[in-house]
Structure formats: structure tokens, C-alpha cells
Amino acid sequence: QMVTRTICIVSHHPPTPLFTFSAPNSTFMFLQVTYLTHACMELQLGGKKMIFDPWLTGPAFARGWWLLHESPADSMERLCMADLIYISHMHSDHLSYPTLKSLSATRPDVPIYVGLSIYIQVQLTNINVVPFGIWQNALLECPSPVVISLRFMILKDEVHPEMDTCIIVEYKGHMILNTVDCTRPNHGRLPHNVDLMMSDFAGGASGFPMTFSGGKYTESWKADFIKNERKELMNYKAQLVKSLQPKIYCPFASYFVEAHPSDRYIKETNTKNNADELNALIKKSAPGITTWTPKPGAVLDLALALMSPSRYDSITDPPSGTNIYKDSWDFDLYVDELNRAITAEIFKHKSWIQFYYIWAGFKNYNLVVRVIETDEDFIPIDNGYNYLVDFMDLSFPTQRPTREHPYEEIKNRIGVIRYVVKNGLLWDDLYIGFQNCLSREPDVYHHRFWNHFQTELPVAGPDWDLFLQQVSSYQRSAEPQGIQTESGSASTLF
């Protein structure tokens, strides 16, 4: 039976300095942290329940990421009973559509708090965008006079301010810092000596360099790059934890696996940092910090742990015999949904290409891109689209222009690219989800291009109903020249 809770959120500006906290008060304190899976933590704060970044079911980034850990059987029920949900950013391992779709069917009015505006294509009616750096006071009820026992503050990342956020939660003077995926949260201005700090740690959350080919991208170069990058990340995380001196540190938000059989190469190549190795490194350089490698369903009783970090009963692991790692993922259910986009009406008309890129709104940049639809193994499909886009003037030439220009070739699995196009989704599903294969001349990262297609596409998707009406009015079967396809045929908008 659903229990309805009343919650009141009161904003108030932070004191000076920014991180001034109440004196810790452990009297009658009930503060437990339960790890569910990946970046999803449940905080029991007295009589209130707060949940971070619920990804409990289905894949992330189209079909590229799958949950490594088997979340507790009652995870969705726990989510539906939450008083507050914090979603750190729009990446689908944090903003999980399969999870939120299930949530909306049971409790569409659950309070969700974000620091950046997000677009959720499910029926959730209580999404709250709160300003950065301002305490939000959360009360189970609103008595008079107001007694503040729980508050939280959302902060932005310096490196990716348009994307990543992190959160500080204070309960009765006890602090929890969750930096999530932030590279440099809040410009490095973070509280020291918090009671619990958690962060990502593993690396591997990008298609680079595994999905690149040509030039220097040999298997040995990739292996060396990945090894060195992971080592640098491990050392950075250990140094950050040491500098902030939390009482307890927990590595999380990195427990995913490239489980689909078609991504075996990625899984074998994209090695990741190990949580236990990071914790050992932290213990070596900062022996006073307690570390916790979580298992799904494990509970950290922070009240007990703070009394004595060595207390064996402060952490309750799941029962013996509990399945920690997932061994099945319902691949067909989710891949079939993506592949249904292949036969969508819009793709019967070559002019979708120009309509889509005009909608995307990226131009006046000297870059030519060839986009190729492929099968599972990134082999071009005979009847798939193969076209050029010149982003200098947003034209669709049949040949590369004669002027000097950078060039990228992007091969995409047909089901994923068509699903992304049809629904106006960000290209993270392709790039971070390992659903494309890339080469480029010269070997230069075009930040403006990728940032636009990964973070700046219009909120409202393409109006394909309008497109089909326009195609019909111009006699769909007689589209003249303009866009080269793999077969050599061409079309303009109509």
C-alpha cells in the first residue's frame, strides 16, 4: 500500500563561507545508506528517504551499457516510496527511461530534483530545477517554528557545466558528498571532513579510443592509452579523496558492463579501474579514511560507523548466496524496440536527412562528415543510407568539396541511428554507447560538433508529422537530386 508523505522544500541562500554546517547531532539519529546498483543509492535520513540517480532496469546509451550488479528485488518499490529523488544529469545511466517509465506508472508525482533542466519523455509531474549553490531545506512537514534537520545543495561541474552536477546532503550536521561523474565539481571548492563521500572511479565511459580506426589507432596504441588513462584517473581519485579527508569513502557510479554479444570487442578492450584497488590506494596514502566497496543491497549504518569506524556491524552485506552480478539482461526486449525504428515511414524518403540536420541546427563550421548505416559488425548495409554533410553551409554534396576541410567518417548501427534520429535523441547513445565506428582526417577532436550533437540539440524532437505532410504534398515518389546515398541516388528536401 502506498504511503503518502508531505514534504516541503524551502530555499535559503548559503552562509559565508559557502560550506558552514550545523554541529553534528547524533542524538536519535537514523542515517543509513543502501547501495542499489551503479550510481543509485538510497539514503534513510530519519523518517525520510532520498534516492540518487535511479537506473534499475534496462540498458543505458541505447544498448551499449548494461547493469553489472543485480539490484535488490524490491528496488523499484523502494524508488516509488522515496520522498526525494536526485538526478545528477541527463546521461541515461542516471536519467534512465526504462526506470522512470516504471516509476511514472506507479507514482508520477514523486518529487525529483535537478540542477539543470532536463527533458523527460515520461509522465512525471513533480520535477524541480533548483539553483546551484543554494541550500534546499527538506522537511517532512512544515512546523512553526521551522526546525531544519535535512537539507541539500546541488553544485555544477567546472569542466562540463552544461552537463554534470553533484550534491551535498546534510542531516543533523552530518554530511554526505556525492560528486557523481563530475571531473572538477564546483571548481574544486568542496567541503572537507564530510562523513561520507562517494564518486565514480572506473573510467571507460566513452567510445574513445575503442571505436576509432585508422592512423595511430592500432590495438597496441589503444591498450597503452587505456592503461595510462585509467592509472591517471585512479591516482586523481585517490588524491582527491586524500585532500578532502572524508571519514568514509565509497566508489560507485561505475558498475556497468558491455554485456551484449555484439560488443564483445568493447568489453574486452575497455578495461576499467577496480574499486578494491582504488580503496587500497586510498588506505595506503590516507590510512585514517575508512573505505567501502558496496554490494547491491548492502547497508552502511552511518550512525554506527561514525561512533567507531572499526565497528564490524556498521555494514550489513546482502545474505549469503545473493546474486551480486547480473547474468541476463533481456537483450531482445530492448534491441527490438530500437530496431523497430528501421522501418519507420520517414526513412522511406531520402529527404529526411536534410530535414533532420536543419532541425539539429549545427552549421557554419568547417567539417565534412560521412554518415554510414551498418549492420551489427559495422559493415555498410546495401540498402542503408550513406551520405555526406558539409557543415560549413549545411549542404549535402555528392562528393567531398575541393576546399581544404577536416573530414570524419561515422559508421552507425542502423537500428540505433534511426531510433536516435526518429526521437531526436542526443548522440551520446551512439558515441558513449559504443554504437558507432569512427575515423577522421586529420586526427583532431571537433569539440563544437560533438558538443552540439551530444548536449545542445533542440529539446523538442523533429516534427516528423509535418515532414510527412510536406513529402506528400510534393509527391513522395518523385524526389529530385541533392543528397547522395549509398546507391548513388540523390535528393533535395523534396
Side-chain angles (χ1 to χ4, degrees), residues 229-268:
E229 192 276 339
R230 302 298 184 265
K231 183 178 180 180
E232 290 178 5
L233 177 62
M234 178 92 80
N235 290 332
Y236 168 73
K237 292 295 181 181
Q239 182 58 40
L240 177 62
V241 174
K242 180 182 178 181
S243 68
L244 294 177
Q245 287 290 308
K247 296 180 178 67
I248 303 171
Y249 170 72
C250 173
F252 85 141
S254 300
Y255 299 109
F256 71 93
V257 61
E258 305 88 342
H260 194 279
S262 294
D263 292 327
R264 180 179 176 182
Y265 167 78
I266 299 295
K267 181 180 178 181
E268 294 175 349

Side-chain angles (χ1 to χ4, degrees), residues 366-372 386-393 395-410 439-443 446 482-485:
N366 187 25
L367 175 66
V368 176
V369 175
R370 178 172 290 280
V371 182
I372 304 171
N386 181 334
Y387 58 89
L388 288 169
V389 185
D390 186 345
F391 287 102
M392 177 65 81
D393 58 1
S395 60
F396 305 89
T398 58
Q399 302 179 50
R400 289 174 60 176
T402 56
R403 73 172 194 279
E404 185 176 342
H405 62 276
Y407 172 77
E408 292 204 17
E409 181 178 281
I410 307 176
S439 60
R440 55 195 186 190
E441 305 169 8
D443 184 21
H446 293 277
I483 300 172
Q484 183 185 25
T485 65

Side-chain angles (χ1 to χ4, degrees), residues 139-213:
L139 310 171
L140 190 59
E141 295 178 354
C142 296
S144 183
V146 171
V147 178
I148 305 301
S149 63
L150 171 61
R151 60 182 184 168
F152 63 92
M153 178 190 294
I154 299 178
L155 303 169
K156 70 168 65 176
D157 185 36
E158 176 186 0
V159 177
H160 300 290
E162 78 289 343
M163 173 66 69
D164 288 326
T165 73
C166 64
I167 190 170
I168 303 168
V169 178
E170 181 185 18
Y171 175 64
K172 290 191 174 183
H174 294 279
M175 306 301 307
I176 296 174
L177 169 64
N178 176 9
T179 63
V180 203
D181 291 352
C182 289
T183 304
R184 185 172 166 79
N186 198 42
H187 295 258
R189 299 191 301 270
L190 295 171
H192 290 61
N193 306 119
V194 300
D195 297 288
L196 173 63
M197 175 183 174
M198 55 187 81
S199 76
D200 69 335
F201 68 94
S206 167
F208 185 85
M210 293 79 63
T211 61
F212 283 68
S213 63

